[in-house]
Amino acid sequence: MLTVSEARERILSRFQATAKETLALIECANRVLAADIVAPHDLPLFNNSSMDGFAIRADDSAEADASSVTLSVVADIPAGSAPNVTLAKGQAARIMTGAQIPEGADAVIPVEDTDFSSQAAGTLAPKTVSFTKHIKPGDNVRSRGIDLHEGDIVLHKGRRLKPQDMGLLAMLGIANVEVHKKPRVALFSSGDELIDVDAPLTAGKIHDSNSYVMKALLQNAGVDVMALGVAKDNRESVDALLQKTVNEELDLIISSAGVSVGAFDFVKEAIESQGRLDFWRVHMRPGKPLAFGEYQGKPFIGLPGNPVSAFVGFEVFVRPVLEKLSGQLDGSRHTVKVRCAELIESDGRESYLRATIREENGIQIAELTGHQGSGNLLSLVQAGALLIIPAGVKCVPVGQEVDAILL
Ligand code: AMP
Ligand code: MG
């Protein structure tokens, strides 16, 4: 049986990043950059005030510690205007936050530190302004280029765009962005016991929960989902669902259940009839029945049916595939070292256990969230992390360090 990393390598080698496309910035949230972003200009682009106040020559405030200094106010500079004055000695200009600093000025005294106390909207600038505070050159000024310079690489290829990245691109006037196409994934569940969430439960039936978990995972990973519904436990039903993928542009087909050794597990067989299976088991827990192959030339991953196993299979195998397809180079999940608060027994397979993580005196402590049955979705709902117990380990003593994937 393949180890987890062997299986993952085999799967990943089958995929490459989707094609590039250029989209309007507004369409690019959560997309992955297909090229580095180079700043077309400095940020900020002009020296501007970080406060509402008065632009002054810092020299003019030299006496201000000892006594009050009074300057004549020769201009009023709201945000968005281009100042048309050059301040001479003894002069000031009223200025608003974000407005361009006029020639001659090199600092701003905040309005709160002057005798001009009227801050109501619409107030006209005073004729003079007085203050008793010493101001240094550069005080309350955001200088051109202090954030970044023209030509700097501001975001690297392979980065999934966060909301704050969108703002930076907008600040730089980058209206169109080269990104990777959204991967498109077909999804189905299988099992005679499964019924819709809005149908009443009858004897022996359960609601299909995997479809909901998988669809949410895929959508959060920036994927277009083709939801195929639920296949019954017979060849005709599985074949009929799989047939729907044939004329579709898809990067991957994923299913849950029906890939084990049960008498009604028809998914493997249906895949092999029009494609092939590279493997259908991995040496791990939960999630041993995990199939990989292709159907009519389209890559296929068959996840286990048990809800926790399906989730773990997604995290361990599907997520890396989606990241590779998306062109994403920065992983979406992070692994940290944690210490186990209890003794953990394992069967020697690479195991993924549900745990909460808390910090105690700077140490991350992991505690299991109840019984670790692969049908116990609550244990996953309550978990903040998956502990990875490596292959070959049968016992993890209290206090031992293990890796944990943060969820
Ligand atoms: P199987 O892989 O078909 O043997 O299914 C393993 C277990 O997972 C069984 O208890 C199934 O009832 C359960 N299961 C399969 N598919 C789903 C699903 N879509 N939602 C919830 N549980 C499921
Ligand atoms: Mg089944």
Side-chain angles (χ1 to χ4, degrees):
M1 217 183 300
L2 295 177
T3 66
V4 169
S5 59
E6 284 166 350
R8 189 162 40 214
E9 285 313 306
R10 280 223 211 163
I11 294 175
L12 281 173
S13 67
R14 175 73 172 69
F15 294 88
Q16 57 185 41
T18 58
K20 300 168 187 183
E21 61 182 344
T22 299
L23 295 182
L25 177 59
I26 193 72
E27 306 295 332
C28 291
N30 209 31
R31 289 295 193 97
V32 176
L33 289 175
D36 290 344
I37 299 287
V38 179
H41 60 68
D42 291 355
L43 266 189
L45 187 52
F46 51 88
N47 297 339
N48 69 92
S49 178
S50 67
M51 303 287 279
D52 294 328
F54 292 84
I56 62 167
R57 302 163 68 102
D59 267 3
D60 280 347
S61 76
E63 311 291 311
D65 280 338
S67 60
S68 172
V69 165
T70 299
L71 304 175
S72 58
V73 177
V74 297
D76 195 15
I77 312 171
S81 67
N84 56 4
V85 288
T86 299
L87 289 195
K89 200 167 169 39
Q91 295 183 331
R94 186 168 75 157
I95 193 164
M96 300 298 137
T97 304
Q100 188 168 351
I101 304 285
E103 290 294 318
D106 58 5
V108 170
I109 176 140
V111 67
E112 302 91 310
D113 295 334
T114 71
D115 66 336
F116 185 63
S117 55
S118 174
Q119 292 173 28
T123 318
L124 295 177
K127 294 271 180 296
T128 63
V129 64
S130 303
F131 51 92
T132 55
K133 190 175 179 183
H134 182 81
I135 297 288
K136 297 189 299 302
D139 277 2
N140 305 311
V141 173
R142 303 188 281 219
S143 323
R144 173 176 185 144
I146 80 165
D147 295 348
L148 60 93
H149 289 110
E150 178 182 338
D152 288 351
I153 296 183
V154 290
L155 294 170
H156 286 92
K157 177 184 157 148
R159 180 181 174 98
R160 190 174 286 281
L161 290 172
K162 304 175 184 182
Q164 55 269 43
D165 300 344
M166 301 290 287
L168 187 61
L169 293 171
M171 278 185 168
L172 289 168
I174 297 172
N176 298 291
V177 187
E178 200 181 10
V179 291
H180 285 281
K181 290 195 164 179
K182 265 189 172 194
R184 185 153 187 262
V185 177
L187 167 69
F188 68 95
S189 295
S190 72
D192 279 349
E193 72 278 34
L194 304 177
I195 58 173
D196 280 350
V197 70
D198 54 358
L201 287 173
T202 50
K205 305 291 186 193
I206 60 170
H207 291 301
D208 165 23
S209 59
N210 288 346
S211 292
Y212 289 86
V213 174
M214 292 302 139
K215 188 163 183 192
L217 285 167
L218 289 167
Q219 283 177 333
N220 285 353
V223 167
D224 259 343
V225 181
M226 180 188 187
L228 295 173
V230 180
K232 293 279 178 206
D233 283 328
N234 60 65
R235 264 299 293 283
E236 297 69 37
S237 178
V238 177
D239 284 341
L241 271 196
L242 281 169
Q243 272 300 316
K244 293 187 185 171
T245 65
V246 172
N247 294 316
E248 296 286 335
E249 251 188 61
L250 290 166
D251 298 293
L252 175 65
I253 303 168
I254 67 177
S255 69
S256 71
V259 290
S260 194
V261 289
F264 297 92
D265 291 340
F266 286 104
V267 175
K268 277 191 306 196
E269 206 181 287
I271 295 291
E272 278 184 311
S273 75
Q274 308 228 20
R276 58 161 217 276
L277 275 186
D278 288 6
F279 58 84
W280 57 276
R281 281 182 308 177
V282 179
H283 195 58
M284 67 187 292
R285 190 180 65 130
K288 183 167 103 177
L290 188 126
F292 176 60
E294 59 178 55
Y295 180 81
Q296 295 226 356
K298 296 184 170 74
F300 165 81
I301 297 179
L303 297 169
N306 273 305
V308 176
S309 314
F311 181 92
V312 169
F314 182 95
E315 288 300 331
V316 174
F317 300 106
V318 180
R319 185 179 295 285
V321 165
L322 301 179
E323 289 173 354
K324 190 168 181 190
L325 278 170
S326 309
Q328 190 180 345
L329 300 173
D330 54 336
S332 329
R333 292 290 193 215
H334 299 284
T335 301
V336 295
K337 299 269 183 215
V338 298
R339 284 181 197 281
C340 300
E342 63 210 276
L343 179 130
I344 296 174
E345 290 184 335
S346 187
D347 67 358
R349 284 183 278 170
E350 182 163 320
S351 300
Y352 291 80
L353 304 181
R354 285 77 78 195
T356 56
I357 310 280
R358 65 188 148 84
E359 196 186 299
E360 237 171 60
N361 306 321
I363 296 168
Q364 305 292 319
I365 312 263
E367 211 160 339
L368 300 184
T369 56
H371 89 82
Q372 299 287 303
S374 55
N376 180 11
L377 196 57
L378 181 65
S379 67
L380 185 56
V381 168
Q382 292 170 335
L386 291 174
L387 306 187
I388 307 175
I389 312 301
V393 172
K394 296 239 162 133
C395 175
V396 181
V398 176
Q400 170 117 355
E401 209 174 59
V402 297
D403 286 330
I405 304 170
L406 297 180
L407 296 177

